[in-house]
């Protein structure tokens, strides 16, 4: 009897706490201490990290270093160090907080995060790209004694990746405070079994961490539209721990990349007196899609070519440290280019990245692995694969399956097992695991095999959609070899460019390196640059135009995923060190578009495009290749200092107009002509000496939440008429004056060895970008940008 009374009392107390605060998600990114020393005593509560650095998360310690040749990750890994780092944070809980349930959620730690709370070991996380959490409840102190979290992060086994990974707690950390009985996010699955013009249904499956123990609870579902209008509501009694229910809806606005309409679903757990015990919220999008083996991809019943790019997870000068406004900037730059789909190469992204894709409208192919049991690097995930790959796949699908943006799961990129029989069982097993958790999306893999032997065919049969990387010369074989299978060009291109560099054009596409016999290009440029005419590619790839044309003209290919949307840290094919970041991006590492960006924009959007290249600073007599990307017109007329150099147009096989022009200083002008009328003009002028800088501050468009927002300062070096000077770069110093922190600087040059955290940066081909943050959001920030020719104070409102 006494026991019963006690347990009744405890339950009562728990419910009371729960009533007061259904669920609190507490941002745990601030007030951490960090060291690069390694000592197990750092886990102890009585240890005091006095000399440690004060930092906030997300945090990537590698990016703060100077680039170096000596690091074992090599330049393929970004020429930056790994190592071991420790993090500590203390926090109080008051006596009133007792009775709640607490979990500590990590969005991603690279790598091998071991976590302690108050000296008690909670475990080790293996996969550096997945979220994980620890239940803190039974280890917490309330009242005077503070709680201590200690995290050891070990990225010392190198090399462990083909690209830059970053090191540390590089995504958000949050503390979830919930009622002891609560809804489980991982067990919640929201689907839209029926989506049509006038009728849709929403199905919600969820579960509690424990049964309602003989009592009946209620679950309340509420769906609001974007104007916060309630459009459906349902409250149902249930017992046990599982719940499944549907909402029937009338007409809803569909989600698509062009119109990413989201609804807001709230799921509340109520007690018998209708008080909220727990609560979850989701963005829901109604869309339906299918693949057709002959006609490609269809979204909401309409044929829809996937204009996709592959993206790695780093954010340039921020390294791997996730920042939502920097990710939003990446995505919006992609959106303006016409991109409607993203392949997260070759690992799961931050959860907040997917929130952005839901909101901004991108179809996402979420990829799990770059290798299975057969390695690509000595210390990569292959060492953990056998033991962890299924659990990690489950954790990925459960984490991400409620995002409307996700439309496919990729279980691997260019997996070595595809070449022999060992891949068959693995492919089948992983595809089954994914589909058991999410029957609504196809499973794919990015394949490279072209010997379609029985092993490969057996693997392919276990997939729903076949993705082929490169191999465009084999595209036409695919529909007959794989009858009945939807097909996509899961990775293409691998063209190479440095923004703003123009070498005289060769007649054929230059392959750098030329073949598998060479590791590096043998006749490259001494300054480690690659020409930005779309005419150089790695030997397994081709130019942007060519790759896109191959996909464009084949309806059976659902779409293209260009390697890559942005340059990324690491994999600087075709050069050895000092090159340390990739040349593949349509946009450089600083976020500045290369010329070919406008080729895509002219093909993939209705934006009026007229883009002329190169710059107009050459030597008298140089014979210069002039290209023009344009759309919505019949032809382009080129004028040099007022004289017509003739009209040119694109063809079915060439997506730019081209001229050869003997250089003469002055003005080169392109005029876009439609039905005989001029519709747009653009000019390149010969720049004089640099005399000034122009600073463009971008913020509003990339703002997310105020607190973590970055301000992007694009600095152009100009002559007295305001023309960008492409050939006389200067050093910029970004000097904070008031209420400003410099987060990073960059100029997109792949062999700039100056640390990306350094507030000094040379312009490159006339441009550079500074990324800064304000302290007090309500006050203006002031920053001085100094060069040897001019200095400017910029006020950031
Ligand atoms: C692909 C690979 C990518 C990247 C690319 C570079 O084969 O999937 O991760 O390495 O080549 O061209």
């Amino acid at each position: 009897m006494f026991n019963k009374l006690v347990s009744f009392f405890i339950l009562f107390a728990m419910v009371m706490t729960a009533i007061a605060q259904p669920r609190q998600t507490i941002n745990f990114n601030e007030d951490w201490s960090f060291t690069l020393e390694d000592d197990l005593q750092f886990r102890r509560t009585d240890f005091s990290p006095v000399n440690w650095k004060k930092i906030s998360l997300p945090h990537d310690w590698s990016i703060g270093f100077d680039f170096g040749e000596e690091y074992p990750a090599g330049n393929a890994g970004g020429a930056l160090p790994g190592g071991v780092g420790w993090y500590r944070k203390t926090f109080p809980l008051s006596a009133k907080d007792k009775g709640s349930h607490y979990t500590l959620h990590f969005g991603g730690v690279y790598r091998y995060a071991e976590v302690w709370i108050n000296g008690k070991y909670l475990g080790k996380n293996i996969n550096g790209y997945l979220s994980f959490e620890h239940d803190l409840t039974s280890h917490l102190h309330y009242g005077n004694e503070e709680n201590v979290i200690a995290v050891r992060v070990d990225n010392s086994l190198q090399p462990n990746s083909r690209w830059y990974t970053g090191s540390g707690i590089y995504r958000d950390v949050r503390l979830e405070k919930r009622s002891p009985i609560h809804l489980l996010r991982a067990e919640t699955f929201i689907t839209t079994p029926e989506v049509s013009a006038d009728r849709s249904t929403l199905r919600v499956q969820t579960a509690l961490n424990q049964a309602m123990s003989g009592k009946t609870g209620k679950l309340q579902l509420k769906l609001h539209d974007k104007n916060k209008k309630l459009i459906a509501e349902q409250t149902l009694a249930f017992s046990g721990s599982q719940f499944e229910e549907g909402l029937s809806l009338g007409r809803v606005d569909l989600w698509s990349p062009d119109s990413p309409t989201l609804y807001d679903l709230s799921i509340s757990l109520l007690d018998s007196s209708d008080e909220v015990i727990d609560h979850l919220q989701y963005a829901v999008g109604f869309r339906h899609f299918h693949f057709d083996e002959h006609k490609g991809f269809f979204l909401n019943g309409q044929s829809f070519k996937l204009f996709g790019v592959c993206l790695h997870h780093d954010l340039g000068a921020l390294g791997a440290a996730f920042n939502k406004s920097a990710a939003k900037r990446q995505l919006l730059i992609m959106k303006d280019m016409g991109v409607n789909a993203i392949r997260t190469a070759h690992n799961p992204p931050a959860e907040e990245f997917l929130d952005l894709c839901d909101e901004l409208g991108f179809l996402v192919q979420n990829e799990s692995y770059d290798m299975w049991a057969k390695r690509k690097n000595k210390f990569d995930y292959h060492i953990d694969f056998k033991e962890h790959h299924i659990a990690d796949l489950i954790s990925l699908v459960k984490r991400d399956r409620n995002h409307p943006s996700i439309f496919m799961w990729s279980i691997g990129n260019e997996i070595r097992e595809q070449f022999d029989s060992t891949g068959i069982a693995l492919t089948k097993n992983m595809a089954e695991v994914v589909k058991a958790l999410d029957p609504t999306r196809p499973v794919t893999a990015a394949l490279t095999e072209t010997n379609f032997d029985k092993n490969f065919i057996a693997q392919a049969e276990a997939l729903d959609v076949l993705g082929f990387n490169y191999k465009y010369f084999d595209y036409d074989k695919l529909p007959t070899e794989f009858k009945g299978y939807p097909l996509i060009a899961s990775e293409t291109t691998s063209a190479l460019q440095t923004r703003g560099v123009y070498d005289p054009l060769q007649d054929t596409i230059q392959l750098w390196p030329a073949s598998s016999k060479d590791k590096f290009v043998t006749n490259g440029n001494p300054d480690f640059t690659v020409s930005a005419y779309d005419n150089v590619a790695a030997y397994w790839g081709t130019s942007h135009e060519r790759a896109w044309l191959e996909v464009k003209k084949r309806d059976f290919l659902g779409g293209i995923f260009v390697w890559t949307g942005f340059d990324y840290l690491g994999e600087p094919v075709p050069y050895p060190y000092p090159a340390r970041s990739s040349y593949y991006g349509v946009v450089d590492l600083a976020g500045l578009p290369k010329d070919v960006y406008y080729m895509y924009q002219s093909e993939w959007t209705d934006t009026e495009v007229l883009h002329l290249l190169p710059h107009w600073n050459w030597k008298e007599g140089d014979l210069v290749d002039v290209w023009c990307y344009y759309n919505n017109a019949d032809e382009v007329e080129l004028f040099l200092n007022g004289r017509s150099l003739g009209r040119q147009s694109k063809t079915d096989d060439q997506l730019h107009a081209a001229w050869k022009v003997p250089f003469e200083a002055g003005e080169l002008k392109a005029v876009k002509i439609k039905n005989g009328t001029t519709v747009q003009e653009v000019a390149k002028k010969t720049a004089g000496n640099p005399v000034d800088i122009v600073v463009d501050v971008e913020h509003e468009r990339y703002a997310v939440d105020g607190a973590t927002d970055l301000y992007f300062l694009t600095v152009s070096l100009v002559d007295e008429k305001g023309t960008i000077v492409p050939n006389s770069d200067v050093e910029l110093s970004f000097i904070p004056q008031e209420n400003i922190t410099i987060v990073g600087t960059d100029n997109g040059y792949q062999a700039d060895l100056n640390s990306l955290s350094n507030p000094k940066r040379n312009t490159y081909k006339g441009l550079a970008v500074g990324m800064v943050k304000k302290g007090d959001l309500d006050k203006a920030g002031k920053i001085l940008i100094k060069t040897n020719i001019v200095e400017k104070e910029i006020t950031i409102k």
Side-chain angles (χ1 to χ4, degrees):
M1 179 62 187
F2 176 73
N3 276 350
K4 269 199 181 151
L5 266 182
V6 171
S7 58
F8 171 77
F9 184 75
I10 290 174
L11 191 71
F12 183 71
M14 291 189 313
V15 172
M16 285 311 290
T17 327
I19 290 168
Q21 292 172 329
R23 174 183 291 240
Q24 271 179 286
T25 300
I26 304 157
N27 177 314
F28 248 41
N29 287 339
E30 299 307 319
D31 302 320
W32 288 79
S33 310
F34 170 73
T35 185
L36 276 171
E37 284 170 43
D38 182 23
D39 188 332
L40 255 189
Q41 65 157 323
F42 297 162
R43 75 194 191 286
R44 293 165 53 135
T45 23
D46 56 3
F47 173 80
S48 172
V50 269
N51 297 321
W52 292 23
K53 208 172 153 194
K54 299 274 168 262
I55 56 129
S56 30
L57 306 178
H59 178 251
D60 170 6
W61 76 69
S62 301
I63 198 68
F65 283 80
D66 284 331
F67 295 98
E69 196 169 11
E70 67 279 19
Y71 300 124
N75 65 339
L80 288 167
V84 173
W86 278 81
Y87 296 82
R88 280 174 65 108
K89 177 182 171 68
T90 53
F91 65 100
L93 287 172
S94 77
K96 285 205 307 271
D97 295 319
K98 214 165 185 164
S100 291
H101 183 276
Y102 293 89
T103 44
L104 187 61
H105 180 97
F106 291 83
V109 180
Y110 207 90
R111 183 189 192 208
Y112 296 142
E114 290 177 279
V115 183
W116 289 262
I117 178 79
N118 296 332
K120 166 88 189 152
Y121 186 63
L122 297 175
K124 179 171 179 177
N125 176 62
I126 300 300
N127 190 309
Y129 294 109
L130 286 172
S131 315
F132 59 96
E133 47 190 37
H134 291 293
D135 183 349
L136 306 186
T137 316
S138 58
H139 312 294
L140 293 170
H141 304 312
Y142 303 88
N144 293 339
E145 202 178 339
E146 288 221 298
N147 295 285
V148 181
I149 305 169
V151 185
R152 179 179 187 269
V153 181
D154 186 347
N155 190 18
S156 58
L157 293 177
Q158 301 267 358
N160 63 49
S161 177
R162 297 189 302 111
W163 58 87
Y164 174 76
T165 61
S167 312
I169 308 180
Y170 71 100
R171 292 182 185 156
D172 282 345
V173 173
R174 57 181 192 255
L175 184 70
E176 294 244 25
K177 178 183 177 189
R178 308 176 279 199
S179 149
I181 296 184
H182 51 258
L183 295 161
L184 296 174
R185 214 175 256 285
E187 304 310 316
T188 306
F189 186 29
I190 301 154
T191 51
T192 52
E194 192 184 358
V195 179
S196 68
D198 47 11
R199 211 184 108 76
S200 293
T201 54
L202 184 73
R203 188 138 209 97
V204 179
Q205 263 170 262
T206 189
L208 302 184
N209 63 321
Q210 62 188 75
M212 293 292 282
S213 60
K215 303 175 89 200
T216 304
K218 284 187 210 163
L219 263 196
Q220 184 181 61
L221 307 177
K222 283 186 177 178
L223 190 71
H224 288 89
D225 69 12
K226 60 175 185 288
N227 302 318
K228 305 211 178 335
K229 187 172 144 217
L230 182 68
I231 60 162
E233 179 175 11
Q234 181 117 263
T235 307
L236 291 143
F238 81 108
S239 56
S241 61
Q242 308 277 332
F243 176 92
E244 183 166 354
E245 186 53 40
L247 281 181
S248 292
L249 309 165
R251 208 193 77 79
V252 290
D253 289 332
L254 300 189
W255 182 98
S256 71
D258 288 340
S259 173
T261 309
L262 293 175
Y263 289 80
D264 176 67
L265 172 70
S266 79
I267 307 173
S268 303
L269 174 67
L270 311 179
D271 68 8
S272 47
S273 46
D274 283 354
E275 293 290 346
V276 178
I277 303 175
D278 195 12
H279 177 82
L280 291 174
Q281 207 147 355
Y282 291 91
V284 175
F286 294 86
R287 84 281 185 279
H288 61 97
F289 62 85
H290 68 277
F291 283 91
D292 179 286
E293 65 167 307
H294 306 294
K295 295 191 194 137
F297 182 68
F298 286 75
L299 180 65
N300 298 331
Q302 314 262 320
S303 166
F304 186 101
K305 197 85 166 177
L306 297 159
F307 300 149
V309 291
C310 303
L311 288 180
H312 267 311
H313 72 302
D314 76 65
L315 292 168
L318 307 181
F322 186 79
N323 173 280
K324 204 169 171 184
S325 61
K328 190 171 181 186
R329 174 173 180 252
Q330 266 206 346
L331 286 170
L332 286 175
I333 292 171
M334 292 292 98
K335 187 111 212 162
D336 290 347
M337 164 178 153
V339 172
N340 59 27
I342 283 165
R343 170 171 175 240
T344 65
H346 304 294
N347 49 260
E351 293 161 73
E352 296 78 9
F353 181 87
L354 294 172
D355 293 339
L356 284 170
C357 291
D358 295 341
E359 197 185 299
L360 303 174
F362 290 93
L363 288 155
V364 177
Q365 198 188 132
N366 196 333
E367 193 153 73
S368 50
Y369 303 121
D370 188 46
M371 82 301 296
W372 293 347
K374 295 188 178 177
R375 74 186 217 186
K376 291 186 179 171
N377 260 307
K378 189 162 177 204
F379 297 111
D380 64 25
Y381 181 78
H382 86 278
I383 53 183
D384 299 307
F385 180 82
K386 192 155 180 265
E387 203 181 324
H388 292 275
H389 73 284
I390 294 297
D392 285 347
L393 201 57
I394 291 172
S395 145
L396 164 66
V397 177
K398 287 189 169 182
R399 188 194 76 163
D400 291 346
R401 63 186 168 173
N402 293 320
H403 286 279
S405 53
I406 296 186
F407 79 124
M408 286 209 277
W409 303 103
S410 163
I411 55 171
N413 172 59
E414 303 190 351
I415 295 298
R416 299 279 186 255
E417 282 86 342
Q418 70 185 303
F419 305 116
D420 60 50
S421 61
T422 59
I424 304 173
L426 283 169
T427 308
K428 283 191 179 152
N429 191 12
M430 281 194 262
E432 273 165 22
V433 166
V434 172
K435 280 195 279 191
L437 296 169
D438 179 8
T440 73
R441 296 174 175 95
V443 176
T444 188
L447 307 165
T448 44
E449 180 62 291
T450 36
N451 299 322
F452 302 134
D453 64 5
K454 64 177 192 329
N455 288 329
F456 183 74
I457 289 174
Q459 286 177 56
E461 278 172 355
L463 299 167
D464 304 309
V465 174
L466 302 185
F468 281 88
N469 286 7
Y470 308 93
K471 313 286 181 199
Y472 54 92
F473 36 79
D474 286 322
Y475 283 164
D476 285 332
K477 281 205 250 168
L478 301 177
T480 32
E481 294 283 350
F482 298 99
K483 249 191 172 14
Y485 281 85
L487 297 159
I488 55 168
S490 43
E491 193 178 310
T492 65
T493 320
S494 279
L496 307 167
Q497 303 179 336
T498 301
R499 175 187 55 77
V501 170
Y502 306 96
D503 296 335
L505 266 175
Q506 312 288 322
D507 291 342
T508 55
I509 296 172
Q510 299 298 291
L511 298 180
W512 286 12
S515 75
S516 56
K517 288 202 293 296
D518 301 314
K519 189 152 180 233
F520 305 114
V521 56
T522 48
N523 56 341
N525 293 343
D527 60 354
F528 304 92
T529 58
V530 182
S531 174
Y533 289 113
D534 181 18
N535 205 42
V536 187
Y539 67 81
W540 55 91
T542 187
S543 68
H544 288 276
E545 278 195 19
R546 177 84 199 275
W548 165 234
L549 280 168
E550 296 301 333
V551 177
K552 181 183 179 178
K553 62 188 180 212
R554 291 181 169 88
D555 286 346
F556 65 83
L557 290 171
I560 187 171
F561 288 85
V562 178
W563 190 266
T564 46
F566 269 69
D567 279 344
Y568 51 93
L569 288 158
E571 213 182 26
V573 171
Y575 291 116
Y577 188 85
R580 46 61 172 172
S581 51
S582 86
Y583 295 74
Y584 295 119
V586 177
V587 176
D588 78 13
L589 197 69
L592 304 167
K594 302 177 188 174
D595 297 289
V596 78
Y597 181 91
Y598 301 95
M599 184 281 283
Y600 288 108
Q601 199 179 47
S602 72
E603 286 283 302
W604 292 355
T605 76
D606 289 329
T607 309
E608 288 294 331
V609 176
L610 182 64
H611 180 81
L612 190 61
L613 63 146
H615 57 71
W616 208 237
N617 276 62
W618 301 94
K619 289 201 300 294
E620 289 294 324
D622 280 353
L623 192 60
V624 185
D625 290 285
V626 173
W627 283 21
C628 189
Y629 295 120
Y630 70 96
N631 60 0
N632 304 337
D634 306 314
E635 50 193 356
V636 175
E637 187 161 2
L638 192 69
F639 294 88
L640 178 58
N641 293 327
R643 296 189 317 274
S644 173
L645 301 180
R647 293 182 178 192
Q648 295 291 343
S649 52
K650 309 194 271 191
T651 66
D652 285 348
D653 283 320
Q654 184 181 296
L655 300 174
H656 62 272
W659 298 259
K660 281 202 182 290
V661 181
F663 177 73
E664 178 186 299
E667 184 192 70
L668 185 73
K669 185 166 84 176
V671 175
K672 187 161 116 178
I673 296 161
K674 187 174 183 179
N675 301 328
T677 322
T678 297
V679 286
Q680 209 181 345
E681 289 187 6
V682 73
K684 293 273 173 186
K685 292 184 184 142
T686 306
N689 293 328
V691 296
D692 199 4
I693 54 173
V694 174
V695 184
D696 176 31
V697 183
E698 298 164 296
H699 166 243
E700 227 157 89
R701 210 173 163 223
Y702 308 138
V704 286
D705 58 5
T708 60
D709 287 0
L710 297 183
Y711 295 74
F712 300 88
L713 278 50
T714 304
V715 182
S716 317
L717 183 65
V718 296
D719 70 3
E720 59 185 8
K721 293 195 183 118
T723 301
I724 294 184
V725 184
N727 54 4
S728 297
D729 287 307
V730 300
E731 185 185 79
L732 309 173
S733 300
F734 292 82
I735 306 165
Q737 304 291 292
E738 249 176 77
N739 198 26
I740 285 285
T741 317
I742 315 280
V743 179
T745 61
D746 195 4
N747 59 26
Y749 175 37
Q750 292 98 341
D752 185 336
L753 292 182
N754 176 12
S755 160
L756 293 168
S757 306
N758 195 331
K760 288 194 171 153
R761 177 76 40 201
N762 288 351
T763 56
Y764 188 74
K765 306 295 170 192
L767 299 173
V769 178
M771 289 146 233
V772 309
K773 192 164 83 191
K774 281 210 288 194
D776 182 344
L777 298 178
D778 298 327
K779 285 204 202 124
K782 286 204 168 113
I783 179 165
L784 185 70
I785 305 178
K786 240 178 149 164
T787 72
N788 59 358
I789 46 171
V790 64
E791 59 181 64
K792 272 210 167 150
E793 190 177 76
I794 307 293
T795 301
I796 295 173
K797 294 212 193 73

